[in-house]
Amino acid sequence: MPVHRSGTPARRPRLVAAGTLLAALALLLTVPGAASAASGTGIATVPERGTARMGQGVIAHDGRGSGSPTGTSAVQTEGVDVSSHQGDVAWSTLWSSGVKWAYVKATEGTYYKNTHFTQQYTGSYNVGMVRGTYHFATPDTTGGAAQANHFVDNGGGWSRDGRTLPGVLDIEWNPYGAQCYGKTRAGMVSWIRDFVNTYKARTGRDPVIYTATSWWKDCTGNNAGFGATNPLWVARYNSTVGELPAGWSYYTMWQYTSSGPTVGDHNHFNGALDRVVALANG
């Protein structure tokens, strides 16, 4: 117990009324990024906007198998995906380990740009990698066209230089709220269509769609309308890629783990390095 300078015990402050405490906690949970402030309370909190990264919800919602990938084509080319979560990346180490392509998070919603973008995007290019950028979609904040424009304007463009891959729409579990962002299946399909159409109008390329089969089934009704135009990047952390979303008969890229060396998120490109270059060239 604290004491006054006179040596007499000081009175402890009165406990805050229960209603005041509950009100304070309710206010805390409405503030973006309150997760750290509320730690230890036992109350579920929401991560700060902008912190989402590719595959963040895969293990929690889709699980993780064991063993190395099997049943792949004769030649696969190793790649990684990164965001500000990784900070500055040791690109030369990755290159020496056999990683030949990379995707870097550029944007999220219409409110965020990757704070490590330059080091990651330029660094991967400088060591010789074919690289591109991805956009983490938040369909509950703004429309698909608005987010496609934000993406293109902030690192998501494309050029026919043989080293720049088409942009990626990362559409998956919502780390900030309802799994399907509060949209009906038809509404989600419409949102995705607005994004991919706007991206193509701006860049001349059909964007890659990154998703997980279970999410695609739940949130689009397993819509088959994108397989003919948009390359598929599928997430499944297991020894086999498993079932693909409707409309795609094969995958272009497969994110098979979030616990790889140097950078956790590792991927297989479904073909040799010349096919990676072919995708870059369109």
Side-chain angles (χ1 to χ4, degrees):
M1 178 179 290
V3 296
H4 291 302
R5 290 181 180 178
S6 64
T8 58
R11 292 181 178 273
R12 292 187 182 274
R14 293 184 178 179
L15 294 177
V16 179
T20 303
L21 177 59
L22 290 175
L25 286 172
L27 176 62
L28 172 65
L29 295 180
T30 65
V31 179
S36 59
S39 62
T41 65
I43 299 173
T45 57
V46 176
E48 184 175 0
R49 288 277 180 180
T51 61
R53 59 189 187 274
M54 186 175 279
Q56 185 170 338
V58 173
I59 294 176
H61 296 276
D62 216 30
R64 175 169 58 190
S66 59
S68 300
T70 60
T72 59
S73 69
V75 179
Q76 302 268 309
T77 307
E78 192 76 2
V80 296
D81 58 271
V82 298
S83 68
S84 60
H85 177 72
Q86 280 80 25
D88 288 349
V89 175
W91 291 111
S92 59
T93 302
L94 285 166
W95 177 263
S96 297
S97 73
V99 174
K100 302 304 177 187
W101 60 273
Y103 266 99
V104 175
K105 179 179 178 180
T107 51
E108 177 179 322
T110 53
Y111 50 79
Y112 175 80
K113 297 184 289 184
N114 180 2
T115 54
H116 290 266
F117 181 80
T118 300
Q119 192 277 343
Q120 294 176 348
Y121 190 61
T122 304
S124 55
Y125 181 90
N126 286 343
V127 299
M129 292 185 190
V130 185
R131 86 294 191 238
T133 59
Y134 77 87
H135 172 81
F136 192 95
T138 56
D140 57 338
T141 60
T142 44
Q147 292 195 27
N149 282 319
H150 179 67
F151 179 40
V152 174
D153 291 341
N154 293 283
W158 176 78
S159 60
R160 192 187 299 275
D161 60 1
R163 300 279 300 280
T164 305
L165 292 159
V168 174
L169 170 63
D170 177 358
I171 186 81
E172 56 174 296
W173 293 279
N174 179 8
Y176 309 118
Q179 172 174 305
C180 300
Y181 300 86
K183 292 197 171 293
T184 64
R185 289 172 169 178
M188 183 63 74
V189 170
S190 178
W191 192 98
I192 295 170
R193 181 67 63 194
D194 286 346
F195 184 99
V196 300
N197 285 348
T198 302
Y199 185 85
K200 185 170 185 179
R202 289 287 307 274
T203 66
R205 294 299 306 271
D206 292 299
V208 175
I209 292 178
Y210 168 97
T211 196
T213 302
S214 59
W215 184 92
W216 191 262
K217 284 182 171 182
D218 288 345
C219 296
T220 75
N222 211 20
N223 185 275
F226 298 92
T229 52
N230 300 94
L232 172 66
W233 188 351
V234 66
R236 187 166 191 258
Y237 300 166
N238 213 320
S239 57
T240 61
V241 71
E243 179 186 5
L244 300 180
W248 285 282
S249 58
Y250 62 92
Y251 66 89
T252 298
M253 290 168 280
W254 168 22
Q255 187 188 63
Y256 66 87
T257 186
S258 63
S259 54
T262 309
V263 166
D265 292 355
H266 275 244
N267 307 268
H268 284 319
F269 190 95
N270 198 7
L273 182 58
D274 68 320
R275 305 317 304 159
V276 181
V277 174
L279 178 62
N281 283 327

